[in-house]
Amino acid sequence: MSAKKIQELKPLLAERMKKLLPDKNDFSSFLEILKKPTQNSIRVNKLKISSEELKFRLEKKGWTINQPFKNHPEIMIIENELSPGELGRSLEHLFGYYYVQEIASMLPVLTLKPKHHEAILDLCAAPGSKTTQIASEMKNTGTIIANDVNIGRISILAANLERCGVSDAIITRKQGFEFCRKLKEHGFSFDKVLLDAPCSGEGTLRSSPATYLMWNIKSIKNLSNIQKSLIKSAIELLKPNGELVYSTCTHAPEENEEVIDFALKKFENIKIESVKLPVKCREGVANWENKTYVSDVKKSCRIYPQDNNTEGFFLAKLRKVK
Amino acid sequence: MAIKILAEQEKAWIEKQLNEQFGIKKIPGKIAMIGKEKLFFFTGEFEDIKIRKLEQIAPVEKIGCYFAKIIGDNIKLTIEGTQRLKEQITTGVFEINEQQAEEWMKGRELNLKTELRGFVAIKHNADFLGCGKASENKITNFIPKSRRLKNREK
């Protein structure tokens, strides 16, 4: 059975999404947008070219460029209808002048706000979209530790970092919580940590229809436990006043607010901060299936595909206050 | 993977060689070496001792950006090497036209006569496209498969 032909949510997923989107029209909009392809979005690699110059070059090719966010000219949408894979085949892509990236996936780094000379840990870094974005913001200063566990995914990460000219990163291969534990033992600490956690991918239904088939509730519970272990070990690496951005591409509260709730309860010195982004965000859910989370989880940000014509995403920003 | 951060003296040899071949004067940051040939820019700010500690904790798969390869007594720059050092590249440059650039990015050698010999930086307009090796009748292509232009419909 081809995943591309599957366009219906499994009944339990549909039921859960209805609970998250109780307004009937809202839920219908959600279902409608899942049928549409995602926009052709790219991010300019500021390490190699300016937004103005790339825009000029792409327009010369006949592409119509839309820069939807005034303060982020590096984020571009190609309005033309492109053939499959065309974005990845252009000379400008091969030169590393841009990265093909869904807009929702750019939001965690906009939240992290990397600064020059910071030490940043990107714990689940492959395939490298966010690592290259961090390096671009840091102008190749500071140090990024880009870790992942899977050797195949690390090859893709390494290729993407090379194509984008990232020279301030060290790529490591280790299971996330084990890596954090060892880093702590050896006295490492970071200004910022990005934990873009492995997740059930409910937010990627538009671009990855296989998720319709693969989704199951059991994996959500398992992933939730993994995510809690990861966030616990990652928080322990933060310098005083350090920040951690937690993100997933799923809507499941067990993988999102429940993980943040766990972190806030586990660590007295960790506070959640509100997130300001150039897209519509909805607040986190504080009640889910007979569980009540600390009310501060409402400061998390839920991105639904129907709100901004993107994929679905979740993110939260935590700070170590003492 | 054995990673060596080159000492200042070793870095100076690389810079001297790159100066002779391309007029390059200074490499930014540190140079890391993996194996006996591959050179990486590392502009990260972890000290050597921290990098060594990191190697004890987890396999370090890569450090910095691959920019050059030592081949005998010469150095071949990668696409990133030529792009990053383009402001400093003053000699050993071969400029190509649009049609040649497309052929080059498809991984094809350029069959043409040139006065240049050895590794040359390939340039098209403002873009640097890595290095080729010039001999009497051709320039040999080193564009890796993953960076090649696939045949496109016009």
Side-chain angles (χ1 to χ4, degrees):
Chain A
M1 191 161 34
S2 158
K4 287 211 165 180
K5 288 180 186 163
I6 303 290
Q7 289 295 335
E8 273 190 23
L9 301 177
K10 287 184 178 176
L12 182 55
L13 175 55
E15 190 187 308
R16 287 165 57 91
M17 288 310 302
K18 267 185 202 166
K19 276 188 202 164
L20 287 170
L21 304 168
D23 181 283
K24 218 175 166 181
N25 291 334
D26 195 20
F27 183 63
S28 296
S29 305
F30 170 73
L31 293 179
E32 273 310 301
I33 202 144
L34 294 186
K35 295 174 191 162
K36 294 180 185 161
T38 50
Q39 302 182 96
N40 291 313
S41 52
I42 61 170
R43 177 177 48 76
V44 180
N45 178 17
K46 295 187 281 187
L47 292 175
K48 288 195 173 183
I49 196 167
S50 68
S51 301
E52 299 76 34
E53 201 182 334
L54 183 67
K55 184 170 185 260
F56 176 76
R57 286 181 67 135
L58 297 181
E59 283 176 341
K60 244 173 90 180
K61 291 159 80 83
W63 290 6
T64 306
I65 308 296
N66 173 16
Q67 291 164 289
F69 311 116
K70 195 180 153 203
N71 292 329
H72 296 282
E74 74 277 13
I75 300 175
M76 297 179 175
I77 295 169
I78 320 301
E79 301 287 5
N80 313 50
E81 204 169 301
L82 301 175
S83 60
E86 192 174 345
L87 273 179
R89 281 199 307 266
S90 77
L91 265 182
E92 288 74 12
H93 183 259
L94 295 171
F95 290 160
Y97 292 168
Y98 66 79
Y99 197 105
V100 181
Q101 188 176 5
E102 217 286 318
I103 286 177
S105 147
M106 302 178 198
L107 302 175
V109 176
L110 295 190
T111 307
L112 194 70
K113 291 192 175 73
K115 294 191 177 68
H116 295 189
H117 307 294
E118 286 181 331
I120 297 189
L121 171 64
D122 186 356
L123 193 53
C124 311
S129 52
K130 298 172 191 75
T131 318
T132 54
Q133 192 179 0
I134 292 169
S136 182
E137 292 304 315
M138 291 166 77
K139 297 265 180 257
N140 265 335
T141 67
T143 307
I144 305 169
I145 302 297
N147 181 70
D148 212 279
V149 66
N150 180 294
I151 188 74
R153 284 168 59 81
I154 281 181
S155 302
I156 300 168
L157 169 69
N160 281 326
L161 264 56
E162 186 173 316
R163 184 176 57 83
C164 291
V166 173
S167 60
D168 61 346
I170 301 173
I171 299 177
T172 55
R173 175 169 50 90
K174 193 92 178 162
Q175 192 192 45
F177 29 85
E178 178 66 6
F179 186 46
C180 290
R181 187 179 65 78
K182 293 230 171 186
L183 283 169
K184 194 187 169 199
E185 268 176 27
H186 283 76
F188 283 85
S189 60
F190 295 87
D191 298 297
K192 288 172 182 169
V193 175
L194 176 62
L195 175 50
D196 186 43
C199 71
S200 57
E202 292 169 359
T204 65
L205 286 163
R206 293 176 72 186
S207 60
S208 173
T211 311
Y212 283 99
L213 290 173
M214 287 161 62
W215 186 91
N216 71 79
I217 193 69
K218 199 177 161 194
S219 70
I220 288 176
K221 310 284 179 194
N222 290 339
L223 284 161
S224 179
N225 289 332
I226 292 169
Q227 290 150 349
K228 285 172 193 167
S229 299
L230 285 170
I231 203 168
K232 175 183 170 291
S233 46
I235 282 172
E236 290 179 342
L237 291 171
L238 287 175
K239 290 180 184 174
N241 210 35
E243 296 167 24
L244 180 145
V245 170
Y246 176 83
S247 61
T248 69
C249 55
T250 200
H251 302 300
E254 295 89 337
E255 298 181 64
N256 294 327
E257 287 87 348
E258 188 171 314
V259 178
I260 300 304
D261 173 76
F262 164 82
L264 294 174
K265 285 175 179 160
K266 180 92 186 162
F267 297 94
E268 273 183 16
N269 59 346
I270 289 293
K271 302 288 173 214
I272 183 169
E273 296 189 344
S274 301
V275 173
K276 276 186 192 158
L277 287 167
V279 296
K280 180 180 172 183
C281 289
R282 302 195 199 186
E283 65 179 27
V285 296
N287 297 289
W288 180 252
E289 296 198 329
N290 304 323
K291 282 184 185 168
T292 301
Y293 307 134
V294 292
S295 63
D296 263 3
V297 300
K298 288 182 184 169
K299 290 180 182 170
S300 312
C301 173
R302 289 189 151 258
I303 310 283
Y304 286 103
Q306 70 273 30
D307 287 342
N308 307 287
N309 191 11
T310 62
E311 297 270 42
F313 234 80
F314 172 90
L315 51 93
K317 182 179 180 181
L318 305 179
R319 184 183 295 278
K320 187 175 184 176
V321 290
K322 279 185 270 184
Chain B
M1 201 172 290
I3 292 169
K4 182 184 174 191
I5 305 291
L6 298 191
E8 281 304 311
Q9 208 178 354
E10 293 166 306
K11 186 181 172 188
W13 181 85
I14 304 286
E15 284 174 334
K16 182 175 164 282
Q17 194 58 37
L18 286 173
N19 185 262
E20 281 171 20
Q21 287 181 236
F22 303 105
I24 292 164
K25 288 186 176 139
K26 185 136 187 71
I27 303 294
K30 296 171 183 162
I31 297 178
M33 194 173 198
I34 297 182
K36 289 182 177 173
E37 300 171 326
K38 289 189 166 184
L39 301 172
F40 294 76
F41 291 128
F42 181 57
T43 56
E45 292 166 16
F46 270 16
E47 308 86 2
D48 293 6
I49 190 165
K50 251 180 156 174
I51 295 167
R52 298 288 157 245
K53 265 192 194 176
L54 199 58
E55 283 181 307
Q56 290 168 24
I57 294 171
V60 172
E61 298 291 334
K62 212 166 217 185
I63 181 166
C65 181
Y66 176 40
F67 81 98
K69 188 174 186 178
I70 300 175
I71 299 174
D73 288 335
N74 293 301
I75 295 178
K76 171 170 73 79
L77 293 168
T78 65
I79 298 177
E80 274 59 49
T82 54
Q83 287 181 344
R84 188 72 159 269
L85 299 168
K86 65 181 177 186
E87 309 295 338
Q88 297 188 56
I89 297 177
T90 53
T91 185
V93 181
F94 189 75
E95 296 214 23
I96 55 177
N97 62 32
E98 191 168 347
Q99 195 190 342
Q100 289 167 331
E102 184 140 345
E103 289 294 298
W104 182 256
M105 288 310 293
K106 283 178 180 167
R108 294 175 187 159
E109 59 188 25
L110 300 175
N111 293 308
L112 36 82
K113 282 187 188 294
T114 161
E115 297 296 307
L116 296 164
R117 291 291 179 270
F119 293 114
V120 289
I122 305 294
K123 189 182 180 197
H124 168 55
N125 293 336
D127 296 320
F128 274 89
L129 320 181
C131 264
K133 191 170 187 184
S135 51
E136 196 180 345
N137 295 314
K138 66 176 183 184
I139 299 178
T140 308
N141 194 311
F142 299 103
I143 301 288
K145 275 186 186 163
S146 60
R147 302 291 288 275
R148 286 182 196 167
L149 199 57
K150 309 283 184 298
N151 280 323
R152 296 179 294 178
E153 284 174 31
K154 289 277 174 192

